Amino acid sequence: MRWQSTIGQVALGALLAAALSSQAARAVDPRYPDWPCAQAKVPEISIAAVWAGPPLDDAETKWKDDPKISALVTKLSARRFPIEDAQKEITSFLSAAAADKTNAGKLLFAGLFDTLNAQRASVMNGLERVMRKQRAAAEKIRDDTLALQALQDATPPDQAKVDALGNQLTWETRIFEDRRHVVKYVCEVPTTIDQRLFALSRAIQQELD
């Protein structure tokens, strides 16, 4: 049983290392070799892609000076806050702004754009950091797999060392797999942020029309 378990670890280690090498080779865009997602990496969303409202003028730098805008931006940009509730908050806030509605809308959009773009960049940078860790982990798994094979082939094999390295390899592959599952989930987050920014921008523009 112990022998079969060790062979399974060797096979799994080799498969994981090969899978990561293949994934890196199939990078969606060679400019971003550490990008682990199937979706193409778009480093930053442009204002023009999500805003067709009035010119922002100095709103891009002034929104942080307004405490109410800053507080609302923090609230609306939180992904845990339901998008439907966020849209209602926008309607209520801009309706209360009355004659200053246009300026308030520009400031609110500028704040949401800055904040959500920063969130998006943070998530994407984190994904690339994890990918680099995965590449290093794959190399370690590959090296430990070869070392385990050498220990098994020794005559006589040192069973204590075989067991110790086999356990280490099991732990390494488990961490590798856990990270892989997390990356698959987190790869959806930039798209979710894009969709949120577009929806909130549209809600603001509808109030300004």
Side-chain angles (χ1 to χ4, degrees):
M1 180 66 68
R2 179 180 294 173
W3 178 82
Q4 290 177 332
S5 175
T6 303
I7 292 299
Q9 291 158 1
V10 171
L12 180 57
L15 285 172
L16 288 175
L20 187 63
S21 298
S22 177
Q23 181 180 357
R26 296 195 310 269
V28 174
D29 189 330
R31 293 176 299 173
Y32 310 114
D34 293 331
W35 181 242
C37 306
Q39 305 93 320
K41 180 182 178 182
V42 180
E44 186 176 278
I45 298 299
S46 68
I47 289 177
V50 292
W51 180 253
L56 295 178
D57 301 320
D58 61 355
E60 294 177 66
T61 57
K62 295 291 187 182
W63 70 269
K64 292 181 181 178
D65 298 336
D66 189 318
K68 289 184 178 179
I69 293 289
S70 295
L72 187 56
V73 164
T74 298
K75 183 177 184 179
L76 301 184
S77 60
R79 294 194 300 278
R80 64 179 178 277
F81 192 63
I83 192 69
E84 295 82 5
D85 293 341
Q87 291 166 329
K88 291 176 183 177
E89 289 269 354
I90 288 171
T91 298
S92 176
F93 176 74
L94 293 181
S95 294
D100 196 40
K101 178 187 288 190
T102 298
N103 185 56
K106 293 193 297 183
L107 290 171
L108 181 57
F109 168 76
L112 288 169
F113 180 81
D114 279 358
T115 302
L116 289 171
N117 238 340
Q119 285 183 13
R120 187 176 180 278
S122 177
V123 170
M124 296 172 81
N125 289 338
L127 282 165
E128 291 185 320
R129 283 196 301 272
V130 171
M131 183 60 174
R132 289 191 287 272
K133 287 182 179 180
Q134 287 290 79
R135 188 173 289 115
E139 291 296 330
K140 184 69 164 57
I141 289 170
R142 185 182 293 114
D143 290 345
D144 286 348
T145 297
L146 294 173
L148 184 57
Q149 288 174 325
L151 286 173
Q152 289 175 312
D153 292 341
T155 305
D158 186 330
Q159 195 58 51
K161 289 184 178 180
V162 168
D163 290 345
L165 188 52
N167 289 335
Q168 179 177 315
L169 187 55
T170 297
W171 181 248
E172 289 168 351
T173 53
R174 182 177 300 161
I175 292 173
F176 186 99
E177 277 290 272
D178 287 347
R179 281 191 190 136
R180 188 171 66 84
H181 289 304
V182 169
V183 164
K184 185 177 180 180
Y185 167 76
V186 178
C187 276
E188 301 298 327
V189 174
T191 298
T192 300
I193 294 174
D194 292 349
Q195 292 170 343
R196 187 176 193 87
L197 177 58
F198 180 79
L200 297 181
S201 172
R202 183 172 56 188
I204 295 170
Q205 291 175 79
Q206 286 175 343
E207 292 300 316
L208 299 185
D209 287 344

